[in-house]
């Protein structure tokens, strides 16, 4: 017998149907649950007589506001009652105390306190725990008031701080015993922990102990808190002890640190150092079984305390300049804690402490690096003024206390991070019990080693007060070494190291270049060497791994652009050496864009082609700016730039942008030349150019009907119309504006008739400018005759109208845009 449909297909149909039914069932159940949450549950109907059916439905109604839970209301009432009783007891003790005799006072307070202490026990046996908590809190407050009353009556001559210290200890013991006796009360034990915080601190304050004893009292309190946090009963007790321990320990460590830093001799620094080591031991003891976050924080605090304690003793016997290296040495020795038998989170905290010390040491050397880099920049206003006096950085009058030790700090840290980068596998195995660094950490270590090593070698000549020539030579050699490292790292696929080396090379090149500007021969030597170095780096950079292609392109582009900038500086320096005026040196600057145009044609779309050409264009802009003071030279420079742009436009990938730029530059050169020759009738020179250009445009459109009107007619029309507009605005006669307006009107109408965008826009713009020139005097007269409030009012009314019809104006603008876009 054959199944129709086959069993497999029928099984699939059944599965789909069952899935649909399950989905529908879940939808209905969700809807039912929502309806039950909205509607009030039906009231229980009265029992129907036997034989009669009960009601089959109920009348739905919306539920009223949810009532306050009885337990919450009870807690609020009990809290308010206890608070009022506490306030009354305080007022009685402080205000009404003097109106009763000694017997009455003692009897009242004793009776109330005993009653408040005994009542919670009875209430707890009857299950009234909330009421017992409120009366227990009142009893604790009454015990504090009893202590205050005892001091005022029985021991008025006793010092307040000493009595408070003893009272806090007694109250801590009594509250702890009371809390242990009535285990269901949650407040006495945490309050006992709070009370014990003040015992030792108030005692040292009362006896006028030294700061070191005060710090020791804080650390002992923190140690007691740690013990309670580890062995205490209940979460509230342990939490209170942990918070108190953190606060007391931090205060004690800060006091000990201040004493260690201000110690004048190693003997005076021993006691604060011992306190810091004791604080570190307390921190490690407290985090032994703590959660991960607290354990890491405790390890961090312990590590910093050890460094501060040991380093403080060594620092007290060392010179002032070597304070940072001393602490750095202690921080590096702390790395051996990676093999210590500590919990993993605590070990991580200790390693973080070492990292914090190392980072702080590096930051202390950063101002020296900044001075070395910014010193030459401050002398840009004194180019070729001679060798700077004083230190080689060229920034006289500024010193840094850590300048002599900055290279030591930077080079030591660079050597260690470089060793970690080199023997990364061994470091990972050594630190495997504490941390597990990923592959990204190795790249960061390599980049950090390179940056710190470069910074240390950069500051070294300055710290040694080396001669100017040595400082310049060292910075140039550093740039060469960094470029070599960049090329090597790119080939090996070490992206982070290559990027760091490239950034340092560029920054170092700027520093070396600005430093060399103090002396003319140094300028040529340094920038010539930088030109060769960056050019060679751009040529030889290759990547063996496909993953490093992006870094390779970046390296080639940056190196090539840096080489072009160096060539620009050399061209400017050559003009200054020849004692040429600024505008006469502009053609020399054009040598740079000429070379970049030739390189662009040679590279043909390679990665650095576009950056090189853009940097060369910047050199062309600089040449134009240099030629601005002299109009004939400006026209010459503009024409030469036009030639370069036209040569670039020969290449198909650069033709659109470079072609338009060449046309603009040629037209600008013509206008500037005419203006420099005091030509009053520019049409005599521009029309002979415009007419052949329009003929060529007509022939181009016949051969290529798809060609743009801007390509065919734009340059020819602009060559005459734009100079004529400027001449018309300066011509007091009416003949030129009239003829120009008629010509612009004809061109505009022709553009509209033939649907040519260039004719329409150029003719319309010139016609508008010409009309504005003719109407300007009358507009000025009308505006002068109007009240001053009228123009702003009209402007506001116009804005309101435009705003009210904004959508319509937007649609009109889109239609105009579409119409212009359809033109050629």
């Amino acid at each position: 017998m054959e199944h129709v449909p086959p069993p497999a297909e029928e099984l699939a149909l059944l599965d789909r149907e069952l899935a649909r039914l399950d989905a529908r069932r879940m939808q209905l159940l969700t809807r039912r649950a929502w309806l039950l949450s909205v509607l009030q549950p039906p009231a229980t109907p009265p029992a129907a007589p036997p034989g009669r059916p009960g009601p089959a439905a109920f009348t739905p109604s919306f539920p009223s506001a949810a009532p306050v839970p009885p337990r919450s209301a009870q807690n609020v009432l009990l809290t308010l009652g206890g608070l009022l009783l506490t306030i009354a007891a305080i007022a009685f003790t402080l205000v009404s105390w003097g109106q009763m005799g000694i017997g009455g006072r003692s009897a009242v307070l004793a009776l109330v306190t005993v009653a408040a202490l005994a009542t919670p026990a009875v209430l707890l046996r009857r299950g009234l725990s909330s009421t017992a908590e409120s009366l227990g809190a009142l009893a604790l407050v009454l015990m504090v008031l009893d202590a205050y009353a005892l001091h005022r009556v029985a021991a008025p001559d006793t010092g307040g701080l000493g009595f408070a210290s003893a009272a806090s200890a007694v109250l801590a013991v009594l509250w702890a015993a009371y809390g242990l006796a009535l285990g269901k009360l949650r407040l006495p034990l945490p309050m006992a922990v709070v009370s014990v915080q003040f015992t030792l601190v108030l005692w040292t304050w009362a006896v006028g102990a030294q700061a070191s004893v005060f710090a020791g009292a804080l650390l002992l309190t923190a140690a007691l808190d740690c013990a309670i946090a580890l062995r205490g009963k209940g979460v509230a007790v342990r939490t209170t002890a942990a918070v108190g321990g953190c606060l007391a320990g931090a205060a004690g460590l800060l006091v000990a640190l201040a004493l260690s830093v201000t110690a004048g001799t190693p003997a005076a620094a021993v006691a604060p150092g011992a306190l810091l080591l004791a604080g570190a031991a307390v921190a490690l003891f407290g985090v032994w079984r703590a959660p991960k976050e607290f354990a890491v924080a405790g390890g961090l605090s312990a590590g910093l305390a050890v460094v501060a304690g040991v380093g403080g003793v060594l620092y007290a016997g060392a010179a002032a300049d070597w304070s940072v290296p001393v602490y750095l040495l202690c921080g590096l020795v702390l790395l051996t804690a990676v093999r210590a038998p500590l919990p993993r989170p605590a070990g991580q905290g200790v390693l973080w402490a070492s990292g914090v010390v190392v980072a702080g040491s590096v930051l202390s050397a950063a101002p020296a690096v900044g001075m070395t880099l910014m010193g030459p920049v401050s002398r840009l206003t004194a180019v070729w003024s001679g060798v700077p006096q004083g230190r080689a950085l060229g920034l006289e009058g500024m010193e840094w206390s850590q300048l002599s030790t900055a290279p030591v700090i930077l080079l030591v840290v660079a050597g260690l991070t470089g060793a970690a980068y080199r023997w990364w596998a061994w470091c990972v195995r050594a630190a495997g019990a504490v941390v597990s660094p990923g592959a990204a950490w190795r790249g960061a270590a390599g980049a950090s080693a390179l940056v710190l090593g470069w910074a240390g070698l950069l500051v070294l000549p300055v710290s040694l007060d080396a001669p100017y020539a040595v400082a310049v030579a060292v910075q140039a050699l550093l740039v060469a070494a960094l470029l070599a490292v960049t090329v090597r790292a790119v080939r090996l696929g070490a992206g982070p190291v290559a990027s760091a080396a490239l950034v340092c090379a560029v920054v170092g090149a700027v520093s070396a270049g600005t430093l060399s500007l103090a002396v003319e021969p140094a300028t040529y030597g340094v920038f010539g060497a930088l030109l060769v170095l960056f050019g060679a780096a751009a040529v030889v950079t290759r990547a063996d791994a496909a993953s490093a292609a992006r870094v390779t392109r970046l390296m080639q582009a940056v190196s090539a652009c840096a080489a072009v900038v160096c060539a620009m500086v050399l061209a400017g320096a050559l003009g200054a050496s020849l004692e040429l005026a600024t505008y006469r040196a502009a053609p020399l600057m054009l040598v740079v864009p000429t070379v970049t145009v030739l390189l662009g044609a040679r590279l043909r779309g390679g990665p650095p082609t576009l950056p090189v050409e853009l940097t060369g264009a910047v050199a062309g802009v600089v040449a134009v700016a240099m030629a601005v003071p002299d109009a004939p030279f400006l026209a010459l420079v503009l024409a030469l730039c036009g030639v370069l742009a036209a040569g670039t436009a020969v290449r198909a990938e650069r033709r659109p942008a470079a072609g338009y730029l060449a046309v603009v530059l040629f037209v600008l050169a013509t206008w500037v030349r005419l203006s420099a020759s005091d030509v009053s009738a520019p049409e005599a020179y521009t029309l002979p150019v415009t007419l052949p250009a329009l003929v060529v445009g007509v022939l181009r459109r016949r051969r290529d009907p798809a060609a743009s009107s801007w390509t065919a007619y734009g340059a020819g029309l602009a060559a005459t119309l734009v100079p004529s507009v400027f001449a018309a605005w300066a011509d007091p006669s009416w003949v030129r504006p009239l003829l120009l307006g008629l010509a612009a009107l004809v061109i505009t109408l022709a553009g509209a008739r033939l649907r040519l965008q260039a004719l329409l826009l150029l003719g319309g713009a010139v016609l508008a400018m010409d009309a504005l020139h003719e109407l300007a005097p009358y507009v000025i007269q009308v505006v002068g005759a109007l009240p001053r409030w009228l123009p702003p009012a009209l402007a506001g009314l116009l804005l309101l109208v435009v705003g009210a019809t904004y959508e319509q104006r937007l649609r009109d603008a889109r239609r105009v845009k579409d119409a212009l876009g359809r033109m050629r």
Side-chain angles (χ1 to χ4, degrees), residues 69-498:
R71 179 67 65 179
S72 300
Q74 178 188 13
N75 292 335
V76 171
L77 293 176
L78 291 174
T79 302
L80 290 176
L83 181 61
L84 291 175
L85 289 176
T86 303
I87 294 174
I90 295 174
F92 167 76
T93 304
L94 298 179
V95 178
S96 302
W97 188 257
Q99 299 176 4
M100 300 180 64
I102 184 64
R105 303 171 197 170
S106 303
V108 170
L109 272 181
L111 181 61
V112 174
T113 303
V114 170
L117 288 173
T119 304
V122 178
L123 295 176
L124 288 175
R125 284 197 296 269
R126 297 191 176 186
L128 302 176
S129 58
S130 298
T131 308
E133 288 286 352
S134 299
L135 290 178
L138 176 62
L140 299 182
V141 175
L142 289 175
M143 293 179 72
V144 176
L145 295 177
D146 286 336
Y148 170 74
L150 183 62
H151 176 259
R152 291 292 302 271
V153 174
D157 298 331
T158 307
L161 292 175
F163 187 87
S165 173
S168 65
V170 173
L171 288 176
V173 173
L174 293 177
W175 288 347
Y178 185 67
L180 292 175
L182 301 179
K184 294 183 179 181
L185 290 182
R186 293 172 292 181
L187 192 58
L189 289 179
M191 291 305 298
V193 176
V194 173
S195 179
V196 81
Q197 306 297 314
F198 304 98
T199 302
L200 294 176
V201 176
L202 293 177
W203 174 77
T204 56
W205 196 355
V207 300
Q210 297 179 353
S212 58
V213 179
F214 185 75
L218 288 170
L219 293 177
L220 285 176
T221 304
L224 179 60
D225 289 331
C226 291
I228 296 174
L230 293 175
R231 302 293 182 181
K233 179 182 179 181
V235 178
V237 174
R238 291 196 295 269
T239 303
T240 305
V243 173
C246 291
L247 295 177
L253 290 176
L254 289 176
V255 174
L257 177 62
L259 294 174
S260 176
V261 172
T262 56
T265 61
V270 171
L275 289 174
L276 289 169
L277 294 179
V282 170
L284 290 178
F285 171 73
V287 302
W288 200 266
R289 292 191 304 171
K292 180 179 179 181
E293 293 76 10
F294 288 97
V296 172
L300 175 63
S301 302
L304 293 178
V306 169
V307 172
V310 178
V313 177
L314 300 177
Y315 160 69
D321 293 347
W322 289 86
S323 58
V324 177
V326 167
Y327 286 107
L328 174 61
L329 177 62
C330 296
L332 295 176
V333 173
L334 196 64
L335 290 173
T336 57
V338 73
R339 309 300 297 177
L342 294 173
R344 181 182 176 90
Q348 292 176 355
V350 174
L351 290 183
W352 276 110
S354 177
V356 168
V357 174
V358 173
S361 303
V362 171
L363 289 178
S364 69
V369 180
M371 289 171 57
T372 305
L373 293 174
M374 296 305 298
V377 177
S378 65
R379 296 179 54 85
L380 288 178
T381 57
V383 177
W384 292 357
S385 59
V387 176
Q389 301 297 324
R391 293 190 180 274
L393 54 84
L395 192 61
E396 296 86 0
M398 182 176 292
E399 294 292 337
W400 180 250
S401 59
Q402 303 293 331
L403 186 60
S404 58
T405 58
V408 177
I409 297 171
L410 294 172
L411 292 177
V412 168
V413 178
L416 291 176
T417 51
Y421 177 76
R422 176 65 179 82
W423 292 285
W424 185 254
W426 180 85
C427 293
V428 170
R429 287 196 301 270
V434 179
V435 292
S436 301
W441 284 89
R442 184 186 184 189
S448 301
L450 190 141
V451 173
L452 294 176
W454 165 73
L457 294 175
L458 184 71
V459 179
L460 186 60
V462 179
S463 63
L464 297 177
D465 200 8
Y468 171 79
V470 174
V472 174
V474 168
Q475 293 200 18
L477 291 175
L478 285 177
V479 174
L482 288 170
L483 289 176
V485 171
T486 305
V487 173
R488 176 68 175 170
V490 168
R491 288 183 176 178
L492 295 177
V497 177

Side-chain angles (χ1 to χ4, degrees), residues 651-743:
R651 295 156 49 198
E653 69 274 11
R654 300 286 186 262
R655 186 166 300 157
Y660 288 124
L661 180 61
V663 171
V664 172
L665 290 172
F666 282 133
V667 172
L668 285 176
T670 303
W671 296 343
V672 172
R673 181 69 261 182
L674 293 177
S675 175
S677 301
D678 296 329
V679 174
S680 59
E683 293 82 3
Y685 299 90
T686 58
L687 281 176
V689 177
T690 296
L691 295 177
L694 293 178
V695 172
V696 172
V698 171
L699 296 177
R700 169 69 185 276
R701 290 272 297 173
R702 286 183 177 179
R703 295 181 58 185
D704 184 11
S708 172
S709 61
W710 289 100
T711 304
Y713 309 117
L717 291 174
T720 296
L721 291 178
V722 178
S724 298
V725 168
F726 286 102
W729 272 73
D731 192 350
S733 176
W734 58 272
V735 177
R736 186 193 301 273
L738 177 61
L739 295 177
L740 179 61
L742 292 175

